[in-house]
Amino acid sequence: TDEEMVGNFYRDKEQISCRFADRIICLSEHDRDMLQTLMQDDIETQRNTVKRDDYLSISSRRSTLSAMSKKIKNILILPPPLRGDILDLAQKNTLDSNENYTQFLPPEAANAIKSTTLQPRKKRLFISCVVRLSPEKSPHHFVSLIQKLGGVDFLRRNGLIPLLCGAKSVGCYADQVLADFEYVCSRGLSQGSVWPY
């Protein structure tokens, strides 16, 4: 199909790029894992070619394969910087345009923000973690932090609402983090309840 042809085209180009790159830097562990798999497949293909093509310089090919194997282990990860538009949103620091933000929050969180506009609040309202739900962003540390601080008792005592926001990047990991988050925020409450609901 056309889709497979396009997929193979990009796969081939990425393999060639990795084969000849002096150094490989990607933006996440997920990308690194994909590149490592791609490069390992390329090494296997190259090994099979070496066996078939005796007329080519086998020692040269073996040298290339050895270099590729080393490169697989040395792929670096450079997390991307904060985007300018996200920085602008964070720096606005006003609650007069809540409608733009509260539409994406759970109703309880949106209502809590609305109540703060009616009366001045001296303390923090939310304890939040806003990252992609993938191992390299470590949202599990946020869940551990809430648990170590005292879980529901800590949240209730300080009037804090926990927020964990982010796209699921690695499905099984994200599901586990969300399940742990819900557990930490419901421990000690009546069955089916999660703080502050």
Side-chain angles (χ1 to χ4, degrees):
T1 67
D2 286 344
E3 234 173 79
E4 286 173 339
M5 282 176 51
V6 169
N8 289 337
F9 171 82
Y10 285 110
R11 179 185 173 87
D12 292 345
K13 296 302 176 201
E14 288 218 356
Q15 284 178 328
I16 291 168
S17 297
C18 289
R19 194 182 311 151
F20 294 107
D22 292 326
R23 179 152 291 216
I24 301 170
I25 302 172
C26 56
L27 300 178
S28 71
E29 286 182 20
H30 181 68
D31 290 349
R32 183 197 56 204
D33 294 345
M34 286 185 355
L35 288 173
Q36 286 175 330
T37 300
L38 209 60
M39 291 172 73
Q40 196 60 53
D41 291 348
D42 191 28
I43 287 173
E44 291 306 314
T45 302
Q46 294 295 318
R47 275 198 186 116
N48 293 335
T49 305
V50 167
K51 290 173 189 170
R52 288 196 314 264
D53 298 342
D54 292 333
Y55 62 92
L56 292 174
S57 167
I58 290 176
S59 64
S60 172
R61 286 259 177 109
R62 286 198 176 129
S63 165
T64 301
L65 293 176
S66 174
M68 286 172 63
S69 294
K70 287 179 188 168
K71 264 193 270 189
I72 287 176
K73 295 175 188 164
N74 294 319
I75 295 176
L76 300 174
I77 299 172
L78 178 67
L82 186 64
R83 284 189 353 224
D85 57 337
I86 302 299
L87 180 61
D88 289 344
L89 279 175
Q91 289 177 334
K92 286 195 175 160
N93 200 21
T94 59
L95 290 171
D96 54 340
S97 57
N98 281 334
E99 295 76 30
N100 296 332
Y101 311 109
T102 56
Q103 63 181 323
F104 302 108
L105 294 173
E108 293 79 5
N111 290 338
I113 287 177
K114 286 179 187 168
S115 72
T116 62
T117 60
L118 302 176
Q119 54 190 3
R121 183 178 172 87
K122 294 179 182 173
K123 296 193 312 181
R124 175 183 296 274
L125 179 61
F126 296 105
I127 183 168
S128 58
C129 176
V130 184
V131 295
R132 185 174 57 248
L133 301 182
S134 59
E136 70 271 10
K137 297 298 183 183
S138 304
H140 60 277
H141 290 310
F142 174 70
V143 177
S144 296
L145 172 69
I146 292 175
Q147 185 174 25
K148 287 176 182 171
L149 289 171
V152 172
D153 291 337
F154 167 79
L155 297 170
R156 187 182 285 148
R157 204 171 45 250
N158 292 285
L160 293 170
I161 298 172
L163 287 178
L164 177 58
C165 307
K168 288 184 179 183
S169 174
V170 180
C172 58
Y173 171 81
D175 292 340
Q176 185 62 55
V177 169
L178 291 172
D180 292 347
F181 179 67
E182 188 170 326
Y183 174 75
V184 167
C185 296
S186 64
R187 199 160 164 215
L189 299 177
S190 60
Q191 190 172 8
S193 298
V194 177
W195 174 261
Y197 308 128

